[in-house]
Amino acid sequence: MPPRKRPNYTVESIDQQLQQIHLLDSSSSSENLEQLAPIIKQIHAARHQEAYLKIVQALVETKEAEIEKICGDNYQDFVSSVSTLLTVRKSTHNLRDKITTLDSSVSSVGNALASEKRALLRSKQTASNLDSAIDALQGCLKILDLVHRVEDMIKEQKYWSALRSIEEIQNLPPSSLSHTSFFAHILSSLPSLRSQIKDAVAAANKSWLLEIRNVSGQVGKLALETMENRTRRWRTRQERDPHLRSSRVGTAVEMVSNERIEVDVLDNEKLRVDFKPLYQAIHIYTALDALDELQKSYQADRKAQATLILPTMLQLSSLSTLLQEVAGFFIVENHVLRTSRGFRSERTIEELWEEALRRVSEGVQDALARETDLNMFLKVKDCLSGFGMTMSGYGFSTQSLHSTVLSLFEKYVKPLEREYAAILENLISRDELVPMRAEDVVSGSLTIAMAKDNVVAAVIIRNDVRNDLQRQSTSLFPWSKAFYSCSETLRKFIPAFYEFVDGVDQHYRDIDEILAKSLDNLLAISIVQNLVKRIDSTSSLSQIAMVATDLEYFQMACDELERTATSYRTSQRQDAISLPRALEAIASAPSRATNRIEAVISSKLNDFLELSEYNFTPKNREDMPSMYLYEMVNWLTTVVDSLAIQERYKDEAYKSAIDYVAERLTEFLVDKSIPIMNENAISNLMVDVDFLRDEFRKIGRDHLVDSLNNLRLMMSIPLSNTVQDYLHPNARQVKYASVQPKMLAALLEKLGKYGTNTRDQMERQKGDKRMKEAELVGRLYPGSNR
């Protein structure tokens, strides 16, 4: 560490320091020795005492030399002045002796007269002093009486009168006492009296705050009970008048209809809250010009009380009591705000209110985080909604509270949705997928006709469909029992859903959207997805068709549920509730069912086609179709016509079956697994195709045989020897547009191979011709290597 640098003390620096503390400043009349302490402390801390003392000694010697010089320069003038003064002193002594002699002579002459005069003056002075003393005592007694009265008024809690008396003392007219120490002492004691008044008022206000804290719960309980009675009366009116169902408590309609005079919760037969101590404190503190102090104290006390009301861990069992305390607290604050003329800041109360709502919301959400009992959610909702409506009536914003209720509602909906989803999934999985009969629900004294009416009334369908079913004499329904059971379950879900929002007076739009989302999920996932699973898991065409029929009615049910939910909605919006996800799922499900039906039919048709055993180089042509076609057509028509599905779905099933058969027959003609083929085989296949066309025409499905027509057209080209016509662009476009060059070329190539592989000269020539035709046709399609 480098050595510390010693300070450089000089006579001039020390002289400047001493002048700063007025030790050497002749113009100063005082000595500021307080500045000497830091200098000495600094010297002591730096351990430079000896150096500093040496410089100070040099300064002293310098000053002494200056003094000696000044005295030496003025010595002669000083001696001359002393001589003059001695002469004046001698003359003064002579004059004094003469005055003494004259005074003695005058004194001896008027001594007797002066003695009598002094006696008379003393008597008058004594009498005047007595009068003054009496007046002073009377004034003092008056002032003391006023002071005593002030103390009595403070004890009697007459604080305003005490302040007036203090003002009277302070504003007494000027008198002989005005400049006395007694009066000054009295005036100096007035601030103490004011402090006593302020302290007494503050103590009374503190006591009142404690009483308010104790009665806040009663105030809140009475306010909540009043709102509960009002809500009960309105529900009774709503039951009598359905047009009022969408109007909640607090709306304009309800307020106009509410003719009864509500209870003043702060002043009634059961409870009376006296705000006089607070108003008195405000008045006194305003007079003392200390209102800010009272406001800060009151704000701190009320904030502390608000904090004490809300516990760290909220117990749901004490939620009702807690909300009563909070309601009473802020009802009192609202009354103070409205009646104290600016004593309370509206912003301050809003901050307290927002903090209280935040803590209540967090406490409720934490307490319900793992709750699964739906009844507990309903109880909490009732408490919060009643609390919210009550406080809204006093002008408090309940936006965040409604957000909390909405959040709880979403938590309530999840277990509710899971419960109903499990019921619906169980109904779908256990359904036998057969048309329902009215006899299935007959029990006790219920007749079949009554059971039919009950089923028709329970299912969710259009009114025109319901009327048509009621007019029918049959007890067989087009849907399965699952549709009936799911309809009953869905009808129960909507009222159970809206049971939570009963009494909640805002944010209906969000609630309606949650209902739409829940219904959407139940229909799309619990019903449609499980029905699709049933489609994929079964090979029974009747069950697949039954699922397709149920899906049609569920699609109708979606439309009806949208209207039902819209009529139940609590908001006043004009737009209807929609179920897009369910409708989309249902819209795609029939195609899934149709594809499954087509797959099952195609599988069975494939079994028939495997029994065909075609000879592709027969020596003769047949006039009768293949035997397997009779069984195949009979099976197909029997199965498809018996399906309980719409005609358009049957058409799709037939068309898919016909297209599949045409595709398989086409494979016989063009597939490489069959290398050669003669015209007799093509003629035999054409007989089979014509048989199929005739059979489908007989059952009125001739509009579905386009694929067979296209196949027949392709086979007719080599049989009628019209390949050259096909090669002509105009003819091909007009007559053979559906015949693909690639397939025709493959067919001609097989015919050509058959001719070239025989020993018959005519057949060989025909085969060569077919091979050339195949090459020419092959050039017509892209990608040809010919």
Side-chain angles (χ1 to χ4, degrees), residues 178 182 242 334 337 466 523 542 615 632 636 669 673 745:
S178 299
F182 169 78
N334 179 67
L337 176 67
R466 182 177 287 106
L523 286 163
S542 62
N615 182 5
M632 184 180 73
L636 181 63
L669 297 175
S673 62

Side-chain angles (χ1 to χ4, degrees), residues 483 520 523-525 527-529 531-532 547-559 561 579-593 648-649:
F483 176 70
D520 219 8
L523 286 163
I525 299 175
I527 294 179
V528 178
Q529 282 190 9
L531 285 174
V532 170
V547 172
T549 301
D550 284 346
L551 286 169
E552 293 174 6
Y553 282 97
F554 274 117
Q555 185 173 16
M556 186 189 305
C558 284
D559 298 334
L561 281 173
L579 307 173
R581 186 178 179 186
L583 290 172
E584 182 181 356
I586 293 175
S588 61
S591 62
R592 187 79 168 263
R648 62 187 180 94
Y649 294 136

